[in-house]
């Protein structure tokens, strides 16, 4: 008997236990409690496509409705293909190995093409249905092990296509899909989705490590000297790192304030009240293994002694450093960022018996220099109007090739597909 299809518009309509049974244990940003928290705190318009057999959910995917290109940066077609971060990658790829004059001509041509195609996408690609976890940067199609994965994916992608036509949605994309999944990749291609390499995310394998000295052994001699110097500089500053217990409202409010600056840095919408609600939900719920780490400075007024923070989630032996922020004027040049996000967290991970730290995308050089390895992150997009699809396919093909040229093997690193 074929599974029945259901489309629901809120986490409130999901069965928490059945949804989480679909999610691989380490994929914390696809878990029910994460999706429920971001939906309630930010009001995202979520859509869930489910396959049910005998009343049990056996497959599903979660998507986000994005009404326009400026509604939620990095979670939409224009941001994924034409964002400043993406175009910087393309310019760097074009510049590599070219004389200065040729580099300038190639850059000017890219800018002209990107302006034209970005304007076209902004006019023709919305509203969009985006298969990704809000603020989680993870997209996937979930199935129980007992289910024929290809058949389930086909049913769900057909349902997505039908939904887009019925609701007047102009495009559908799956963003931030990491790791090898040939069944999913073949199905997406067969359903007309265009593939592109988005970025690399970085992870640090801490399973074999028994202490910080073992971590230092992963680094070359020059980097070991630099790390020891950064640790000493931070210690000499008089600041200290601590793992918070049960943080009160004032601590959470201070962290939300520091987070706002980090969000602004990356062009994301800033809603301090919503972020404060999210931090409260994560830290009081505890179901996602949320832990708050703080940078405290001595002799500071109460409420301002927190100079930095890191909110980290943990699931299935994987630590996910997620939200952070620093008071730049307070921490100065004492390497608080690296001490908190890398060296302190490595020690915490080893002590907790974790086997990996998932550092996500961005800041690639800093992560590679501190022992992290890269994993490819892909995107897939399909425009419902065939004419729009035909026009943008050449750009997406070039985008993919340039991204792969730049990212596939930075500095000789071995990239995990």
């Amino acid at each position: 008997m074929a599974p029945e299809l259901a489309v629901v518009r809120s986490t409130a309509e999901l069965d928490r236990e059945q949804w989480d049974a679909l999610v691989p244990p380490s994929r914390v940003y696809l878990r029910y409690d994460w999706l429920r928290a971001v939906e309630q705190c930010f009001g995202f318009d979520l859509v869930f496509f489910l396959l049910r057999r005998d009343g049990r959910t056996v497959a599903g995917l979660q998507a986000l409705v994005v009404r326009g290109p400026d509604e939620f940066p990095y979670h939409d077609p224009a941001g994924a293909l034409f964002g400043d971060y993406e175009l910087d990658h393309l310019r760097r790829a074009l510049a590599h190995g070219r004389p200065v004059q040729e580099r300038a001509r190639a850059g000017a041509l890219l800018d002209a093409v990107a302006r034209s195609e970005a304007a076209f996408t902004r006019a023709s690609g919305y509203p969009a249905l985006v298969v990704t976890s809000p603020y989680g940067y993870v997209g996937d199609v979930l199935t129980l092990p007992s289910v024929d994965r290809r058949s389930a994916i086909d049913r769900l992608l057909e349902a997505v296509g039908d939904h887009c036509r019925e609701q007047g949605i102009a495009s559908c994309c799956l963003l931030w899909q990491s790791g090898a999944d040939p069944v999913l990749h073949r199905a997406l291609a067969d359903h007309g989705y265009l593939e592109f390499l988005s970025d690399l995310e970085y992870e640090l394998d801490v399973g074999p490590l028994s202490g910080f000295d073992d971590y230092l052994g992963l680094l070359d001699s020059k980097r070991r000297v630099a790390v020891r110097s950064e640790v000493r500089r931070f210690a000499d500053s008089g600041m200290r790192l601590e793992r918070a217990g049960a943080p009160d409202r004032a601590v959470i409010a201070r962290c939300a304030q520091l987070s706002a600056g980090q969000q602004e840095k990356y062009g994301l919408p800033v809603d301090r009240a919503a972020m404060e609600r999210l931090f409260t939900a994560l830290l009081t719920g505890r179901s996602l293994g949320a832990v708050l780490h703080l940078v405290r400075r001595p002799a500071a007024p109460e409420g301002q002694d927190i100079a930095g923070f890191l909110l980290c989630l943990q699931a299935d032996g994987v630590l996910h450093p997620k939200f952070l922020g620093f008071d730049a004027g307070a921490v100065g040049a004492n390497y608080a960022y690296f001490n908190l996000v890398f060296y302190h967290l490595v020690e915490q991970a080893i002590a907790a018996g974790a086997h990996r730290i998932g550092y996500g995308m961005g800041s690639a050089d800093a992560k590679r220099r501190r022992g992290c390895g890269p994993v490819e992150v892909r995107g897939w997009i399909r425009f419902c109007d065939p004419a729009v699809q035909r026009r943008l396919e050449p750009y997406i093909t070039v985008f993919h090739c340039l991204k792969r040229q730049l990212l596939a093997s930075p500095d000789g690193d071995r990239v995990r597909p």
Side-chain angles (χ1 to χ4, degrees), residues 119-170:
F120 180 75
T121 301
R122 291 170 71 92
S124 307
Y126 296 87
L129 189 69
V130 183
V131 181
T132 196
S133 169
Y135 282 116
Y137 304 100
V138 175
D140 205 351
V141 180
L142 307 170
T143 57
L144 290 179
S146 59
V147 171
D148 183 323
R149 181 162 170 76
R150 176 59 196 257
S151 296
I153 292 172
D154 286 338
R155 284 282 308 280
L156 289 169
L157 292 179
E158 288 167 4
V160 166
D162 292 341
H163 181 81
C164 289
R165 284 188 292 273
E166 292 166 4
Q167 300 297 319
I169 292 174

Side-chain angles (χ1 to χ4, degrees), residues 248 250-251 254 257 296-306:
D248 58 26
V251 171
R254 173 62 172 162
Q257 178 188 22
R296 290 197 183 268
R297 56 177 176 156
E302 185 176 357
Q304 296 300 309
D305 61 327
I306 299 174

Side-chain angles (χ1 to χ4, degrees), residues 37 41 247-253 255-256 272-287 290 292 311 323:
C41 294
D248 58 26
R249 290 180 61 183
V251 171
I252 292 176
C255 293
R272 278 179 54 183
M275 195 61 70
E276 190 171 335
R277 292 193 298 271
L278 178 61
F279 291 176
T280 300
L282 295 175
L283 291 165
T284 57
R286 297 290 181 178
S287 60
L292 187 62
L311 197 159
F323 297 105

Side-chain angles (χ1 to χ4, degrees), residues 1-4 18 51-58:
M1 181 177 177
E4 297 179 352
Q18 292 186 24
L51 293 182
R52 291 172 173 159
R53 178 181 289 134
D54 298 326
R56 297 285 300 180
T57 302
V58 298

